[in-house]
Amino acid sequence: GESVGLHLPTLSVQEGDNSIINCAYSNSASDYFIWYKQESGKGPQFIIDIRSNMDKRQGQRVTVLLNKTVKHLSLQIAATQPGDSAVYFCAENTSGTYKYIFGTGTRLKVLA
Amino acid sequence: SAVISQKPSRDICQRGTSLTIQCQVDSQVTMMFWYRQQPGQSLTLIATANQGSEATYESGFVIDKFPISRPNLTFSTLTVSNMSPEDSSIYLCSVVSLDYEQYFGPGTRLTVT
Protein backbone atom coordinates (compact mmCIF):
# COMPACT_ATOMS: atom_id res chain seq x y z
CA GLY A 1 0.00 0.00 0.00
CA GLU A 2 0.95 3.65 -0.19
CA SER A 3 3.52 4.59 2.40
CA VAL A 4 3.41 7.68 4.58
CA GLY A 5 6.63 9.46 5.28
CA LEU A 6 8.73 8.51 2.27
CA HIS A 7 10.83 11.66 2.67
CA LEU A 8 10.77 11.99 6.45
CA PRO A 9 13.82 11.66 8.71
CA THR A 10 14.46 8.02 9.49
CA LEU A 11 15.66 6.42 12.70
CA SER A 12 16.89 2.84 12.39
CA VAL A 13 17.05 0.83 15.60
CA GLN A 14 18.00 -2.76 16.32
CA GLU A 15 15.20 -4.87 17.72
CA GLY A 16 15.40 -4.90 21.50
CA ASP A 17 17.24 -1.59 21.75
CA ASN A 18 15.68 1.61 23.05
CA SER A 19 14.50 4.29 20.61
CA ILE A 20 14.47 8.03 21.16
CA ILE A 21 12.46 10.23 18.81
CA ASN A 22 12.76 13.98 19.13
CA CYS A 23 10.48 16.87 18.32
CA ALA A 24 10.89 20.63 18.51
CA TYR A 25 7.66 22.53 18.94
CA SER A 26 7.01 26.07 17.88
CA ASN A 27 4.54 27.79 20.19
CA SER A 28 5.66 28.73 23.70
CA ALA A 29 1.98 29.03 24.66
CA SER A 30 1.33 25.35 23.89
CA ASP A 31 0.51 23.46 27.05
CA TYR A 32 -0.59 20.05 25.86
CA PHE A 33 1.39 17.62 23.72
CA ILE A 34 0.62 14.29 22.12
CA TRP A 35 2.67 11.65 20.36
CA TYR A 36 0.98 9.78 17.53
CA LYS A 37 2.00 6.62 15.69
CA GLN A 38 1.02 6.23 12.04
CA GLU A 39 1.43 2.86 10.39
CA SER A 40 1.37 2.52 6.65
CA GLY A 41 -2.14 2.84 5.26
CA LYS A 42 -3.67 3.97 8.54
CA GLY A 43 -4.53 7.18 10.33
CA PRO A 44 -2.49 8.42 13.30
CA GLN A 45 -3.05 6.62 16.61
CA PHE A 46 -2.66 8.19 20.05
CA ILE A 47 0.34 6.88 22.01
CA ILE A 48 0.87 9.14 24.99
CA ASP A 49 0.28 12.72 26.04
CA ILE A 50 1.76 15.19 28.50
CA ARG A 51 0.70 18.53 29.91
CA SER A 52 3.06 21.43 30.40
CA ASN A 53 2.97 21.15 34.19
CA MET A 54 4.88 17.87 33.87
CA ASP A 55 8.39 17.06 32.67
CA LYS A 56 7.96 13.34 32.22
CA ARG A 57 5.19 10.83 31.77
CA GLN A 58 5.45 7.09 31.44
CA GLY A 59 3.24 4.61 29.71
CA GLN A 60 3.67 1.00 28.79
CA ARG A 61 7.15 0.83 27.20
CA VAL A 62 6.95 4.50 26.27
CA THR A 63 8.09 7.64 28.05
CA VAL A 64 7.57 11.23 26.99
CA LEU A 65 9.92 13.97 28.17
CA LEU A 66 9.11 17.65 27.92
CA ASN A 67 11.66 20.46 28.12
CA LYS A 68 9.75 23.73 28.01
CA THR A 69 12.89 25.84 28.23
CA VAL A 70 14.06 24.76 24.80
CA LYS A 71 10.61 23.73 23.49
CA HIS A 72 11.63 20.14 23.01
CA LEU A 73 9.70 16.92 23.30
CA SER A 74 11.00 13.38 23.09
CA LEU A 75 9.47 9.93 22.91
CA GLN A 76 11.41 7.01 24.31
CA ILE A 77 10.41 3.48 23.36
CA ALA A 78 11.92 0.72 25.45
CA ALA A 79 12.86 -2.66 23.97
CA THR A 80 11.80 -1.67 20.46
CA GLN A 81 9.84 -4.31 18.59
CA PRO A 82 9.14 -4.82 14.87
CA GLY A 83 5.56 -3.70 15.48
CA ASP A 84 6.90 -0.28 16.51
CA SER A 85 7.95 0.42 12.92
CA ALA A 86 5.89 3.43 11.85
CA VAL A 87 5.99 7.19 11.42
CA TYR A 88 5.80 9.09 14.70
CA PHE A 89 4.40 12.62 14.99
CA CYS A 90 4.32 15.02 17.87
CA ALA A 91 1.44 17.48 18.12
CA GLU A 92 1.08 20.60 20.23
CA ASN A 93 -2.07 22.27 21.48
CA THR A 94 -3.08 25.30 23.49
CA SER A 95 -5.77 24.91 26.15
CA GLY A 96 -9.12 26.26 25.11
CA THR A 97 -8.61 25.39 21.46
CA TYR A 98 -8.99 22.16 19.55
CA LYS A 99 -6.35 23.04 17.01
CA TYR A 100 -3.34 20.74 17.00
CA ILE A 101 -0.12 21.63 15.21
CA PHE A 102 1.74 18.57 14.01
CA GLY A 103 5.50 18.22 13.79
CA THR A 104 7.25 16.95 10.69
CA GLY A 105 7.40 13.33 11.80
CA THR A 106 10.08 10.66 12.11
CA ARG A 107 10.06 7.26 10.47
CA LEU A 108 11.18 4.49 12.83
CA LYS A 109 12.61 1.36 11.26
CA VAL A 110 13.20 -1.63 13.50
CA LEU A 111 15.95 -3.93 12.28
CA ALA A 112 15.71 -7.63 13.05
CA SER B 1 -13.30 5.70 22.16
CA ALA B 2 -14.53 6.51 18.66
CA VAL B 3 -14.30 4.41 15.51
CA ILE B 4 -14.15 6.42 12.30
CA SER B 5 -14.79 5.16 8.80
CA GLN B 6 -14.06 7.02 5.60
CA LYS B 7 -15.27 6.46 2.06
CA PRO B 8 -13.70 6.03 -0.39
CA SER B 9 -10.47 4.62 1.01
CA ARG B 10 -8.67 5.65 -2.17
CA ASP B 11 -9.44 7.08 -5.58
CA ILE B 12 -7.74 8.15 -8.77
CA CYS B 13 -9.38 11.18 -10.34
CA GLN B 14 -8.88 13.31 -13.42
CA ARG B 15 -7.94 16.95 -13.09
CA GLY B 16 -10.86 19.34 -13.17
CA THR B 17 -13.25 16.92 -11.50
CA SER B 18 -14.47 16.87 -7.87
CA LEU B 19 -14.48 14.16 -5.23
CA THR B 20 -16.59 13.98 -2.09
CA ILE B 21 -15.18 12.10 0.89
CA GLN B 22 -17.46 10.84 3.63
CA CYS B 23 -16.63 10.47 7.32
CA GLN B 24 -18.83 8.48 9.70
CA VAL B 25 -18.24 8.11 13.45
CA ASP B 26 -19.79 5.37 15.55
CA SER B 27 -20.56 7.60 18.53
CA GLN B 28 -21.37 11.19 19.35
CA VAL B 29 -18.40 13.50 19.26
CA THR B 30 -17.84 17.11 20.16
CA MET B 31 -15.83 18.22 17.16
CA MET B 32 -14.92 16.99 13.69
CA PHE B 33 -11.98 18.08 11.61
CA TRP B 34 -10.51 17.51 8.18
CA TYR B 35 -6.74 17.23 7.69
CA ARG B 36 -4.54 16.89 4.63
CA GLN B 37 -1.33 14.89 4.57
CA GLN B 38 0.68 15.44 1.42
CA PRO B 39 3.21 12.80 0.36
CA GLY B 40 6.09 12.66 2.82
CA GLN B 41 4.62 15.47 4.89
CA SER B 42 2.98 15.98 8.24
CA LEU B 43 -0.69 16.71 8.85
CA THR B 44 -2.19 20.10 8.07
CA LEU B 45 -5.59 21.14 9.37
CA ILE B 46 -7.97 22.14 6.57
CA ALA B 47 -11.03 23.09 8.59
CA THR B 48 -13.29 22.40 11.54
CA ALA B 49 -16.63 20.93 10.48
CA ASN B 50 -19.45 22.65 12.37
CA GLN B 51 -22.82 20.99 12.74
CA GLY B 52 -25.49 22.83 10.84
CA SER B 53 -23.33 25.79 9.90
CA GLU B 54 -20.42 26.73 7.70
CA ALA B 55 -17.09 25.13 8.44
CA THR B 56 -14.23 27.14 9.93
CA TYR B 57 -11.31 27.15 7.51
CA GLU B 58 -7.63 27.50 8.30
CA SER B 59 -5.37 29.92 6.50
CA GLY B 60 -4.75 28.81 2.93
CA PHE B 61 -7.96 26.80 2.60
CA VAL B 62 -11.23 28.18 1.21
CA ILE B 63 -14.79 26.98 1.02
CA ASP B 64 -14.98 27.11 -2.76
CA LYS B 65 -12.14 24.61 -3.06
CA PHE B 66 -12.99 22.43 -0.04
CA PRO B 67 -16.71 22.63 0.73
CA ILE B 68 -17.57 20.78 3.93
CA SER B 69 -20.88 19.62 5.35
CA ARG B 70 -21.80 18.29 8.77
CA PRO B 71 -25.53 17.61 8.86
CA ASN B 72 -25.41 15.81 12.22
CA LEU B 73 -23.07 14.98 15.11
CA THR B 74 -21.61 11.84 13.58
CA PHE B 75 -21.27 12.51 9.84
CA SER B 76 -19.32 14.93 7.68
CA THR B 77 -18.25 15.27 4.06
CA LEU B 78 -15.31 17.02 2.45
CA THR B 79 -15.34 17.81 -1.27
CA VAL B 80 -12.14 18.48 -3.15
CA SER B 81 -13.27 20.65 -6.07
CA ASN B 82 -11.75 21.27 -9.48
CA MET B 83 -8.86 18.99 -8.66
CA SER B 84 -5.29 19.40 -9.85
CA PRO B 85 -2.30 17.07 -9.33
CA GLU B 86 -1.26 19.25 -6.37
CA ASP B 87 -4.36 18.00 -4.54
CA SER B 88 -2.96 14.47 -4.47
CA SER B 89 -2.82 13.73 -0.76
CA ILE B 90 -4.21 11.68 2.04
CA TYR B 91 -7.31 13.34 3.49
CA LEU B 92 -8.03 12.46 7.11
CA CYS B 93 -11.16 12.93 9.16
CA SER B 94 -10.56 13.48 12.87
CA VAL B 95 -12.87 13.80 15.86
CA VAL B 96 -12.71 14.81 19.48
CA SER B 97 -14.74 12.41 21.59
CA LEU B 98 -16.92 13.25 24.58
CA ASP B 99 -13.94 12.39 26.82
CA TYR B 100 -11.86 14.95 24.90
CA GLU B 101 -9.56 12.50 23.14
CA GLN B 102 -8.73 12.96 19.46
CA TYR B 103 -9.11 10.11 17.00
CA PHE B 104 -8.27 9.84 13.32
CA GLY B 105 -9.92 7.97 10.52
CA PRO B 106 -7.94 5.68 8.19
CA GLY B 107 -7.68 8.37 5.53
CA THR B 108 -8.65 8.69 1.88
CA ARG B 109 -5.77 8.42 -0.55
CA LEU B 110 -6.41 10.68 -3.51
CA THR B 111 -4.35 10.70 -6.69
CA VAL B 112 -5.12 13.30 -9.33
CA THR B 113 -3.88 12.65 -12.84
Side-chain angles (χ1 to χ4, degrees):
Chain A
E2 185 175 326
S3 176
V4 171
L6 292 176
H7 307 293
L8 296 172
T10 298
L11 174 66
S12 296
V13 176
Q14 205 67 37
E15 182 179 355
D17 287 351
N18 297 334
S19 303
I20 300 176
I21 301 171
N22 296 304
C23 176
Y25 63 92
S26 55
N27 187 356
S28 56
S30 294
D31 55 8
Y32 179 59
F33 306 87
I34 302 176
W35 278 100
Y36 286 95
K37 174 186 181 182
Q38 187 174 26
E39 297 175 281
S40 184
K42 297 183 180 179
Q45 288 182 292
F46 173 95
I47 302 174
I48 192 169
D49 59 356
I50 189 169
R51 296 201 175 274
S52 60
N53 61 351
M54 302 173 69
D55 297 324
K56 179 179 179 179
R57 187 155 190 243
Q58 286 185 294
Q60 189 175 21
R61 278 204 309 120
V62 294
T63 301
V64 55
L65 298 176
L66 174 62
N67 185 331
K68 296 180 286 294
T69 303
V70 295
K71 293 191 285 187
H72 184 268
L73 200 63
S74 68
L75 176 71
Q76 300 178 2
I77 304 173
T80 311
Q81 302 169 359
D84 295 327
S85 293
V87 177
Y88 290 81
F89 294 99
C90 67
E92 59 182 297
N93 171 259
T94 304
S95 293
T97 76
Y98 284 106
K99 183 175 178 180
Y100 289 80
I101 300 172
F102 282 79
T104 53
T106 298
R107 183 179 183 87
L108 177 64
K109 280 188 175 180
V110 182
L111 308 172
Chain B
S1 65
V3 177
I4 304 169
S5 59
Q6 286 186 232
K7 289 182 184 178
S9 58
R10 61 175 65 236
D11 207 342
I12 300 173
C13 301
Q14 292 190 343
R15 69 177 68 201
T17 63
S18 298
L19 176 72
T20 296
I21 303 167
Q22 298 181 3
C23 174
Q24 179 72 56
V25 191
D26 70 340
S27 57
Q28 287 195 4
V29 295
T30 57
M31 305 192 73
M32 296 182 79
F33 305 94
W34 287 97
Y35 284 82
R36 182 173 73 183
Q37 187 174 28
Q38 294 180 301
Q41 302 289 323
S42 188
L43 285 76
T44 301
L45 180 63
I46 297 173
T48 303
N50 300 309
Q51 185 198 358
S53 64
E54 189 173 295
T56 305
Y57 290 85
E58 296 300 309
S59 176
F61 298 96
V62 295
I63 187 171
D64 290 345
K65 176 67 176 178
F66 297 101
I68 289 170
S69 77
R70 188 181 175 190
N72 58 54
L73 288 174
T74 62
F75 183 80
S76 178
T77 67
L78 167 74
T79 299
V80 186
S81 303
N82 188 25
M83 288 183 284
S84 66
E86 291 72 34
D87 294 320
S88 296
S89 282
I90 300 171
Y91 291 86
L92 294 148
C93 175
S94 175
V95 304
V96 175
S97 64
L98 295 180
D99 57 359
Y100 302 107
E101 292 206 4
Q102 186 170 20
Y103 299 90
F104 286 86
T108 295
R109 287 143 189 81
L110 170 62
T111 302
V112 183
T113 59

